[in-house]
Amino acid sequence: MGGTWFLGKTVVDGALSRGWEVTTFNRGRSGLDAAGVEAVHGDRSVPKDLELLAAGGPWDAVIDTSSSELPPRGVRLAAQALSDQAARWVHVSTVSVYAGWPHQRLTEDSELLDCPADADGTYGYTGEDGSPTIYGFQKAGGERAVLESLGDRVVFLRPGVILGPSEYVGRLPWWMSRAHRGGRILAPAPAERRIQPVDVRDVAEFALDQAAASGGGAYNVAHPHGIGFAEFLQACLEATGGAGRPVWADPETLAEHGVKQWTEMPLWRTHAGVWWVDSSRAVTAGLRCRPLHETIADTWAWLQADGRPVDHPRWADHGIAPEKEAKILASLSD
C-alpha cells in the first residue's frame, strides 16, 4: 500500500531484490511505480477501487506504508476490503500511539491512546504541551481498525523518526544544509543528548522480514544505540564539508527566543521520554540498524546526486530562519 516514495519505495526495492512478486496500490500522483511491480492505481478511500485491488489477490502479505494521513475509518476500509486476501498484514504505525509519549520510557507493553476503529479525522485532542496529539489518537484508532479486521495476522511497526535517502519531511536535509553553510551553528544543549532516529532502509528490511515471519504483535522501531547530538552535528559537518562549529544554547535560552521544538530546531525536544524508546524486542526479532553516520553520509550523497524528495508541506516547516538564528547567536558566546 503506497510504494512510490521514501519508506514505501524502499520496501518495494527491497522486496524486488529478494525476488518477490510485488503489487503496489496508490493513486499514481507521487513518484513513479518501480519497474517490475504490478501497479494498481486507485484511491484507498474509494470502495470500488479497493474491490478492484482485492480482485488481484491473494497475497502472502500486505505492507501498509500509506495510512499516516487517514482517519481510523479510512484505515478500516482497506483492512476489511483485503482481509480475505491477505495472509499477513504489516502495518506501519508510530510511537505517537502511546499515551506516555514523549514523557515516559516506552516499551511495547506501554498503554496506548484510546480511539475507536470507526473514528473520523476529528477524534482526539492535542495537549497543552503538545502531547498527546490528535495524530497519535488517529494512529491508535488505525491500529485498532486493522486489529479488528485481521486479528493475529497483524504486525505493528512503531517507528519514531525515520531518516535517510529520499526523506520528504526535511529534518536531516535541513541540518545538513545548515552544516554545509558553515559558520556558527545554533545547537540545542546538552550536546550529549542522544537521539534515536532510524534509517529508512533498516525499517524497510525489518518490515520485509516481518512480512515473511509468523505470528502477530507490535515492535518499537528505533535505533537501539542512537547518536549524541554533538556527534550528529559533527557527522553532518564531515559529510557536507562544512566549516562550521556548533554554539550550544540551553533549552531556557531557546525558549526565551521562541524557538519551536521539533520544527525550527529539527530533532530537538526536551520531553524526557522522546528519545527513550525501548526497541529491544525488535532487535531480538531481527532489526539491524546501521550507524547513523552512514545514514547522514548517504543522504548527503543522494541530495548531491540531484535527489529530489516528493513535494510535501512538512518540508517547509523545518529549520530556523537565518535571521532568527543570527539574532540568537549574537547573544551567545562560543
Side-chain angles (χ1 to χ4, degrees), residues 188-277:
E192 64 273 14
R193 183 194 302 272
R194 299 196 74 77
I195 59 178
Q196 290 180 282
V198 62
D199 191 292
V200 63
R201 295 163 292 186
D202 298 329
V203 179
E205 285 300 306
F206 187 62
L208 292 167
D209 289 344
Q210 287 305 306
S214 60
Y219 296 98
N220 294 333
V221 185
H223 203 292
H225 309 299
I227 188 172
F229 222 103
E231 188 180 359
F232 169 79
L233 289 183
Q234 184 59 36
C236 289
L237 287 164
E238 292 175 358
T240 64
R245 64 185 188 282
V247 178
W248 299 95
D250 58 51
E252 294 75 19
T253 299
L254 294 175
E256 288 173 5
H257 288 274
V259 177
K260 296 177 182 177
Q261 299 186 39
W262 214 237
T263 52
E264 282 190 304
M265 195 64 62
L267 304 177
W268 169 62
R269 199 166 185 178
T270 57
H271 298 79
V274 66
W275 297 117
W276 202 5
V277 179

Side-chain angles (χ1 to χ4, degrees), residues 108-139:
E108 291 84 355
D109 297 322
S110 299
E111 180 185 0
L112 300 181
L113 294 169
D114 187 21
C115 179
D118 62 349
D120 63 18
T122 66
Y123 190 91
Y125 64 92
T126 296
E128 292 184 2
D129 68 344
S131 64
T133 62
I134 291 177
Y135 174 74
F137 279 103
Q138 294 281 305
K139 294 291 280 185

